[in-house]
Amino acid sequence: MIKKYLFVFILLTAHFGILAQDLQMLKVQDFDLRGKVKSCLVITDYGKELFEFDEDGFLIRTITQYNETDQDITLYKYEEGHLVEKRMESYKDNILDAATSMVNFYTRDSLQPGKLFERIVSYDKEFLEQQEYLFDEEERLVKIITSNAEGVDECTVEYVPYKNELTTSYFGNGVLEKSIRTSEKKMATGSQRIVLTKEFIDGEPNKATEEVFNANGKLDSKEFFHFNAVQKKFESERKLIYTYDTESMLEKVTTRTSNSESVKEYIHQFDSNPDKNWIKQIITPDNTYSTRRITYFPEAEVGEEGEPN
């Protein structure tokens, strides 16, 4: 029943996999954007998605347009630097679907700083679920208590450091569901960060991924594994190798398996903004494309004394 566990993990994961005592609020840079971006409309061959930001760079609204009459809208509300509310509205035939639309309320108790509460209610005022997040003195997530109509579930998180490694393990009602081992490796070009994630079903190994990040934080490779129950070991299924240009833009992705290799190349066209955001991306040989229409907040005018007007 801990169905929101992965969602929570994505929201709360910090740079090295340690979970901080707050929700990670999405910003402009999380969408491969630079500068004072006000909005970004992404157009692909399968739909459109609009992202809107405030002047501090925080995401405040997304619109996913499926066709002329169906869309999903997500609204984010902040107070004193914290995310306090997220509304997810679903429209079908241009009519709000109250049963599938919901609002997430986030509250913090000043008397219990190690707790964060999330309450989920549908637009037709039906209580769906409550999450209670508990943190230790190092502000790491250690427990999630989920309450809904089906009962109460508990996810616990354990941290085991070893030399230059940290293994974070997640248990659903006492059964291991996922482990993430993060380590650092010194290289001639700088430090590599290696993240090995293993997933389990009923406590038994199922699949794994290993991600290698370079000194600039860019993903160098990602390898996928499945668990061979007969041999009792993980075996590689495929490996993706990422290549970047001198501006750290993705140039190509090479996919390798035991008996094949394929390459996808990425071609970008940029706007005239000084921060140089891409506005068109073509992937060959598939010839799929994405177009971005980006608007910016106006730059603050500088007065004679060097202060913004």
Side-chain angles (χ1 to χ4, degrees):
M1 264 202 301
I2 308 179
K3 53 184 177 295
K4 291 187 81 266
Y5 153 61
L6 290 180
F7 167 74
V8 171
F9 171 74
I10 293 171
L11 282 179
L12 297 175
T13 299
H15 185 64
F16 287 98
I18 301 176
L19 305 181
Q21 191 178 325
D22 206 345
L23 298 173
Q24 181 186 6
M25 296 175 290
L26 296 174
K27 301 195 71 175
V28 164
Q29 55 266 31
D30 296 311
F31 298 89
D32 192 23
L33 292 164
R34 304 171 183 176
K36 298 284 289 183
V37 174
K38 182 177 182 180
S39 68
C40 176
L41 175 63
V42 182
I43 305 170
T44 69
D45 49 4
Y46 50 81
K48 299 179 181 180
E49 190 154 21
L50 175 67
F51 303 92
E52 296 180 343
F53 306 90
D54 64 17
E55 292 199 64
D56 293 320
F58 290 106
L59 180 67
I60 57 174
R61 184 168 75 150
T62 67
I63 302 176
T64 303
Q65 193 77 43
Y66 302 103
N67 51 53
E68 292 184 356
T69 60
D70 297 344
Q71 64 179 2
D72 289 336
I73 300 176
T74 305
L75 303 163
Y76 300 84
K77 181 180 178 181
Y78 307 94
E79 288 182 3
E80 298 180 353
H82 296 293
L83 178 64
V84 296
E85 184 177 302
K86 181 174 69 174
R87 292 182 176 269
M88 294 173 283
E89 301 175 347
S90 179
Y91 292 85
K92 296 179 174 62
D93 297 324
N94 290 323
I95 299 174
L96 177 68
D97 185 347
T100 59
S101 299
M102 62 189 69
V103 56
N104 298 51
F105 297 102
Y106 304 97
T107 58
R108 298 156 183 81
D109 188 342
S110 59
L111 299 178
Q112 301 181 80
K115 289 185 179 181
L116 170 67
F117 296 91
E118 177 182 15
R119 182 177 173 85
I120 308 170
V121 181
S122 69
Y123 268 45
D124 56 8
K125 299 183 179 180
E126 178 186 358
F127 168 77
L128 300 176
E129 191 167 272
Q130 176 172 292
Q131 305 275 347
E132 180 180 349
Y133 309 114
L134 288 83
F135 302 85
D136 62 14
E137 293 180 353
E138 299 179 45
E139 297 191 345
R140 301 181 304 184
L141 180 68
V142 293
K143 186 180 295 185
I144 306 170
I145 301 173
T146 303
S147 306
N148 53 35
E150 299 177 15
V152 178
D153 285 306
E154 187 173 281
C155 172
T156 56
V157 187
E158 294 182 358
Y159 303 89
V160 179
Y162 177 72
K163 294 184 178 180
N164 65 333
E165 298 178 354
L166 176 67
T167 300
T168 307
S169 300
Y170 301 83
F171 299 84
N173 294 323
V175 180
L176 181 62
E177 292 185 341
K178 174 177 286 197
S179 70
I180 302 172
R181 187 184 70 196
T182 303
S183 59
E184 296 283 341
K185 184 177 181 181
K186 300 295 183 182
M187 306 290 291
T189 56
S191 296
Q192 278 188 338
R193 181 165 59 95
I194 304 168
V195 181
L196 176 62
T197 303
K198 295 180 181 179
E199 296 184 27
F200 302 80
I201 296 179
D202 296 328
E204 297 296 325
N206 179 43
K207 58 184 180 180
T209 59
E210 183 180 72
E211 297 169 296
V212 178
F213 298 86
N214 61 29
N216 296 323
K218 291 286 187 179
L219 182 62
D220 272 349
S221 66
K222 186 172 184 178
E223 191 165 5
F224 298 83
F225 302 85
H226 72 275
F227 187 74
N228 186 323
V230 176
Q231 299 292 329
K232 296 189 180 301
K233 65 178 183 179
F234 284 100
E235 296 178 342
S236 177
E237 291 182 328
R238 68 187 189 280
K239 184 174 183 178
L240 278 59
I241 300 171
Y242 299 81
T243 304
Y244 304 89
D245 63 16
T246 55
E247 300 293 328
S248 295
M249 291 297 300
L250 182 64
E251 277 191 325
K252 67 178 181 180
V253 177
T254 303
T255 302
R256 294 174 181 168
T257 67
S258 59
N259 54 15
S260 68
E261 179 174 309
S262 62
V263 177
K264 289 186 178 181
E265 295 188 354
Y266 292 73
I267 303 168
H268 296 95
Q269 178 183 340
F270 298 89
D271 64 12
S272 58
N273 189 273
D275 292 297
K276 199 178 178 182
N277 283 304
W278 67 262
I279 54 176
K280 190 167 187 178
Q281 180 188 76
I282 301 172
I283 305 175
T284 62
D286 300 348
N287 287 326
T288 57
Y289 74 91
S290 296
T291 300
R292 303 198 301 188
R293 296 176 183 171
I294 302 171
T295 62
Y296 296 87
F297 286 102
E299 293 291 337
E301 295 183 8
V302 179
E304 293 183 1
E305 301 297 325
E307 295 294 331
N309 290 330

